[in-house]
């Protein structure tokens, strides 16, 4: 990350894709954690537009917290995550500096037939989004479902 001046970026778009082999699940998650830790070692203080697309990777609550608390001035967020993603939005993230200037949040839950055999937590993610939406009254809120089976 030494090649990128994180203080000058105003837009950031990232895409991660795991493989189709369920027996590689732990390796994929471990690699995703390493990428997040490396990319978000410093805060992106001027990023206003952020998009994240993840396929066949669940992530974790702490990884997503790390991402969003590293974007203190983000205004527009677009997420595409698998239906079994471990993302859950929390008021704790706001106390840690996330979403202070948020205007819009778009979340797309992608359903794919070859996702790893982890328990589906998509419903929990949508429930947490609905609870969390009450805390961010000024944001536009939209959750969509996409099937790629």
């Amino acid at each position: 990350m030494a090649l990128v001046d994180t203080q000058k970026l105003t837009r950031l778009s990232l895409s991660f894709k795991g493989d189709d082999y369920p027996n590689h699940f732990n390796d994929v998650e471990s690699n995703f954690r390493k990428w997040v830790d490396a990319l978000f070692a410093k805060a992106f203080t001027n990023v206003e537009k952020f998009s994240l697309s993840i396929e066949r990777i669940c992530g974790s609550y702490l990884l997503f917290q790390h991402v969003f608390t590293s974007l203190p001035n983000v205004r527009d967020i677009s997420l595409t995550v698998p239906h079994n993603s471990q993302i859950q939005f929390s008021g704790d993230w706001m106390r840690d500096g996330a979403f202070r200037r948020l205007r819009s949040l778009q979340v797309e839950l992608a359903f794919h037939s070859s996702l790893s055999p982890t328990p589906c937590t998509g419903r929990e993610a949508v429930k947490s989004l609905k609870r969390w939406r009450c805390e961010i009254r000024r944001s536009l809120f939209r959750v969509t479902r996409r099937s790629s089976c």
Side-chain angles (χ1 to χ4, degrees), residues 76-81 87 89 102-110 125-130 132-134 136-146:
D76 302 300
I77 298 174
S78 174
L79 301 174
T80 302
V81 295
I87 192 169
F89 293 86
L102 188 66
R103 286 189 318 192
S104 68
L105 171 64
Q106 177 181 344
V107 179
E108 181 176 342
L109 297 176
V126 171
K127 285 179 190 175
S128 76
L129 278 167
K130 288 179 180 176
W132 180 77
R133 173 177 60 171
C134 296
I136 304 284
R137 300 198 188 284
R138 66 182 179 270
S139 68
L140 303 174
F141 181 78
R142 186 172 75 180
V143 175
T144 57
R145 176 184 170 167
R146 175 181 53 123

Side-chain angles (χ1 to χ4, degrees), residues 24-37:
H24 294 170
F25 176 76
N26 289 332
D27 293 338
V28 169
E29 293 296 319
S30 175
N31 288 336
F32 180 59
R33 183 176 55 252
K34 290 174 186 174
W35 272 107
V36 168
D37 288 344

Side-chain angles (χ1 to χ4, degrees), residues 1 28 41-42 55 57 70 77:
M1 286 301 296
V28 169
K42 292 183 178 179
E55 291 182 42
I57 299 172
S70 297
I77 298 174

Side-chain angles (χ1 to χ4, degrees), residues 1-56:
M1 286 301 296
L3 297 175
V4 177
D5 185 351
T6 60
Q7 304 306 305
K8 291 185 178 180
L9 290 176
T10 58
R11 294 179 183 203
L12 181 61
S13 180
L14 300 171
S15 180
F16 297 94
K17 185 175 181 180
D19 60 31
D20 286 326
Y21 305 104
N23 58 335
H24 294 170
F25 176 76
N26 289 332
D27 293 338
V28 169
E29 293 296 319
S30 175
N31 288 336
F32 180 59
R33 183 176 55 252
K34 290 174 186 174
W35 272 107
V36 168
D37 288 344
L39 289 170
F40 293 93
K42 292 183 178 179
F44 291 87
T45 56
N46 289 319
V47 169
E48 293 182 350
K49 292 186 181 231
F50 177 68
S51 67
L52 178 64
S53 176
I54 301 172
E55 291 182 42
R56 300 182 188 105

